[in-house]
Amino acid sequence: MELDDVDRITVLGAGNMGHGITEVAALAGYDVVMRDIQEEFVQNGYEQIEWSLDKLSEKDRITEAEADDALDRITPVVDLEAAVKDVDVIIEAVPEKMEIKKDVYSEVGKHASEDAIFATNTSSLSITELSEETDRPERFCGMHFFNPPVRMQLVEVISGAHTDEAVLDLIEDLAESMGKTPVRVHKDSPGFIVNRVLVPLMNEAAWIVEADDATIEEVDSTTKYGIGLPMGAFELADQVGIDVGYHVLDYMHSELGEAYRPCPLLISKVEKDEIGKKSGRGFYDYEDGGPEIPGDAIRDDVRRRLLAIMANEVAGLIENDVADADAIDEAVMLGAGYPEGPATMADDEGLDTLVETLEELHEQTGEPRYEPTDYLREAADAGGFYVETEPANGESEFETLDVSVEDDVAHVQLDRPHRMNTISEDLLDEFAVAIDELADDDEVRAVLLSGAGDRAFSAGADVQSMATGGSDPLSGVELSKKGQSTFGKLEELDKPVVAAIDGYCIGGGMELATCADFRIASTRSEFGQPEHNLGILPGWGGTQRLTRIVGEGRAKEIIFTADRYDPETLEEYDFLNEVVATERLMDRAFEFAEDMAAGPPIAQKFTKRAIRAGRTDSEAGLEVESQAFGHLMNTDDLMEGVTAFMSDEEPEFEGK
């Protein structure tokens, strides 16, 4: 079966995951049957989809017509035979209990067509064991969506011991057709990738507190601000549900051994039904306002311990051929919102240091979870999970940017779609290098700036990664200056810069856009400087550049109100040069950049310099203008322009 053969999909289960997967599939154009065991459950799921589609329409993520069409493609049913008969793919999303899932498959196999493919949405249970409940284990795999499916980008595609490779290829293609990013899990292993990293980290956090080595506040401060993760370890456990994490951990313990023995602190919380936010109390009291995590309680020893546990899990996954470092990093960034992948973070810390940390803990406690894997030792000896090599072409390689040159146009793409292209310090560092290289490249005549993915040009500063180290005024000053300096390089580039803006252009992302010479936006874009809502101000040049572009009154309005603006309004405010249909944005932006690249490079350079000089001193600007005018009178470009004008032809400027 090929993707083109897939028309009808059945989703078993209408709960949070089931109705979310149904909505995603319907939005992708598939006819979807959503089934649950009671009419009440099915109807509730259908109403949740209707509510979600309305919200997407209100936010202009989809049109009203698209919402109506998606809803029309969904058929809610209770009868199992009717649900699975004559469908191409069956995605099961029933409760995460092995016996429940096995019961479902024993019945489904009686009614599904011979060609149907089964995909389970389990987050940790054995794909192989579930597949053996059917008469077609080779047509069975894991398709693990993350909650909520409508928003989360990742889908883990997991092979069972019997799964046909063609089935995995098809499910990957299916996930991509739904607008998701599939990551292949090559071997059926408890927790797969994301939970295999997150759950042992939660367990280790609990062991640290259980042993009285640190407090909950110190662990969460370290996790959130010392490592830069989206939430503190205990904060995340409360958010997801301590019981959920515990059950995954308990399954890992039964399948993988003593290294995954649940901490008594977790067991105690589950037994007392203090399982997190949903119960009103977990590690934090939600009836009393929830967590207040200090930014100044970071512990270096806790940070190394948690990173060491993560590194060991990464090494175990690689060693057992479950996934490679790239796939692990991509999955955890997409599925858990990490600013960087665990393999990358471990390399940055130094694998030698982390191996030494594990060895010391193992010697002190004798606990199996601290025994370094063979592969972790090998990777430490090799210099890391990623061994750096010099690029063959002598140019820099980037992790947060995608830089390419086509003809005379350099395309610089912010390449963090999993984080909505938010701007981290690493991105600032790489951006500065990229602009310096493009400034020195005489073959590049114009620069096009955009954001990867279909959600954001840039949603601003990566607050998570920049919060690492806590809140320190001096660090804040240095961060502001770093952003100002880096963005200033783009503004001062002597070549025309075009920003192609699609989706969110918020905060630091909007500040970056102000550095371009020209801004073209899609109709679905959204703008704003929300810093005043956070009690701060635009700190990367936004108070200055925005004022120059739209005027002081408009700039104050945008910054002080912290409102969101549609592209038509900002075109009226002269912030945007053009607003075009979303599907035409990149074609139009490349066309515009190519037009700029065909212009006279020397004249363009001096024009930008004269404009910059005149911002603070009109006399200085006029002086630069006159000197440049004189210089240009003695260029080959002038003769080319005059000759082309006289012969009514297009000039071919060479910058001479």
Side-chain angles (χ1 to χ4, degrees), residues 142-156:
M143 190 182 190
H144 179 210
F145 289 80
F146 283 69
N147 193 22
V150 174
R151 282 192 324 164
M152 296 297 284
Q153 191 72 14
L154 176 65
V155 173
E156 290 178 325

Side-chain angles (χ1 to χ4, degrees), residues 156-174:
E156 290 178 325
V157 177
I158 309 115
S159 175
H162 313 295
T163 309
D164 191 311
E165 281 292 314
V167 169
L168 296 170
D169 292 340
L170 172 63
I171 294 300
E172 280 193 353
D173 291 343
L174 181 62

Side-chain angles (χ1 to χ4, degrees), residues 31 42 54 96 108 144 169 183 237 242 300 312 324 345 362 373 379 428 461 523 567 576 581 591 595 631 650:
D31 292 326
V42 176
D54 284 344
E96 189 74 351
V108 169
H144 179 210
D169 292 340
V183 172
I242 299 169
D300 286 340
N312 217 24
D324 60 22
M345 287 192 285
H362 189 249
T373 64
L428 288 176
T523 51
L576 297 173
E591 179 185 274
D595 286 345
H631 178 77
E650 290 294 323

Side-chain angles (χ1 to χ4, degrees), residues 78-330:
V78 173
D79 183 76
L80 181 62
E81 182 177 357
V84 301
K85 186 179 179 181
D86 298 327
V87 298
D88 305 305
V89 176
I90 299 168
I91 303 173
E92 167 268 307
V94 304
E96 189 74 351
K97 293 185 182 296
M98 182 67 82
E99 59 272 18
I100 295 177
K101 290 181 183 288
K102 283 185 174 182
D103 286 345
V104 167
Y105 285 115
S106 65
E107 288 297 313
V108 169
K110 299 174 184 177
H111 307 295
S113 69
E114 290 184 4
D115 295 333
I117 289 173
F118 294 167
T120 175
N121 184 56
T122 180
S123 61
S124 62
L125 300 178
S126 171
I127 305 300
T128 302
E129 189 173 344
L130 288 171
S131 75
E132 290 170 350
E133 286 294 312
T134 75
D135 59 355
R136 64 196 82 187
E138 74 284 353
R139 300 182 71 77
F140 192 109
C141 70
M143 190 182 190
H144 179 210
F145 289 80
F146 283 69
N147 193 22
V150 174
R151 282 192 324 164
M152 296 297 284
Q153 191 72 14
L154 176 65
V155 173
E156 290 178 325
V157 177
I158 309 115
S159 175
H162 313 295
T163 309
D164 191 311
E165 281 292 314
V167 169
L168 296 170
D169 292 340
L170 172 63
I171 294 300
E172 280 193 353
D173 291 343
L174 181 62
E176 287 183 347
S177 75
M178 294 178 182
K180 303 303 179 185
T181 302
V183 172
R184 180 77 66 93
V185 182
H186 296 284
K187 187 179 287 186
D188 184 11
S189 183
F192 313 132
I193 295 176
V194 177
N195 280 331
R196 184 67 169 270
V197 173
L198 294 189
V199 174
L201 187 73
M202 176 193 74
N203 196 36
E204 185 59 25
W207 279 112
I208 290 171
V209 173
E210 177 79 13
D212 204 25
D213 292 335
T215 65
I216 288 175
E217 289 74 18
E218 287 172 330
V219 171
D220 272 6
S221 179
T222 300
T223 313
K224 192 166 187 175
Y225 301 112
I227 300 177
L229 303 189
M231 293 184 179
F234 293 105
E235 182 185 14
L236 178 63
D238 276 0
Q239 189 74 27
V240 172
I242 299 169
D243 57 328
V244 174
Y246 166 73
H247 289 308
V248 174
L249 187 63
D250 191 45
Y251 179 70
M252 288 183 181
H253 182 215
S254 66
E255 296 294 314
L256 300 173
E258 278 301 294
Y260 299 89
R261 178 165 60 94
C263 175
L265 180 59
L266 299 176
I267 298 171
S268 171
K269 287 291 182 184
V270 173
E271 288 177 345
K272 290 188 290 187
D273 198 34
E274 294 178 355
I275 53 176
K277 193 172 183 179
K278 60 187 175 184
S279 68
R281 185 177 182 84
F283 293 110
Y284 295 96
D285 186 347
Y286 292 87
E287 294 177 359
D288 195 30
E292 292 184 8
I293 300 171
D296 57 356
I298 298 166
R299 292 267 300 271
D300 286 340
D301 58 333
V302 172
R303 180 177 54 80
R304 283 192 300 273
R305 189 163 164 179
L306 294 174
L307 287 173
I309 289 293
M310 277 202 298
N312 217 24
E313 292 303 326
V314 169
L317 289 169
I318 298 171
E319 185 173 69
N320 289 294
D321 298 321
V322 177
D324 60 22
D326 278 328
I328 294 166
D329 275 0
E330 182 178 26

Side-chain angles (χ1 to χ4, degrees), residues 520-548:
I520 302 173
S522 67
T523 51
R524 69 177 175 188
S525 296
E526 188 172 320
F527 300 82
Q529 297 286 175
E531 288 83 358
H532 273 203
N533 280 343
L534 303 174
I536 56 175
L537 81 168
W540 287 339
T543 62
Q544 306 303 304
R545 297 190 186 98
L546 184 61
T547 300
R548 290 198 295 263

Side-chain angles (χ1 to χ4, degrees), residues 607-648:
T607 299
K608 290 188 69 170
R609 290 182 180 180
I611 290 172
R612 287 199 303 270
R615 285 173 180 164
T616 55
D617 186 337
S618 61
E619 290 297 323
L622 291 170
E623 181 61 25
V624 172
E625 179 185 285
S626 62
Q627 292 294 326
F629 190 85
H631 178 77
L632 291 166
M633 295 298 289
N634 192 34
T635 62
D636 292 348
D637 278 356
L638 173 63
M639 296 304 299
E640 171 64 19
V642 171
T643 302
F645 177 78
M646 297 298 292
S647 58
D648 198 25

Side-chain angles (χ1 to χ4, degrees), residues 588-606:
R588 176 58 186 137
F590 268 111
E591 179 185 274
F592 197 105
E594 286 165 353
D595 286 345
M596 293 300 101
I602 304 174
Q604 289 172 336
K605 173 175 69 175
F606 283 119

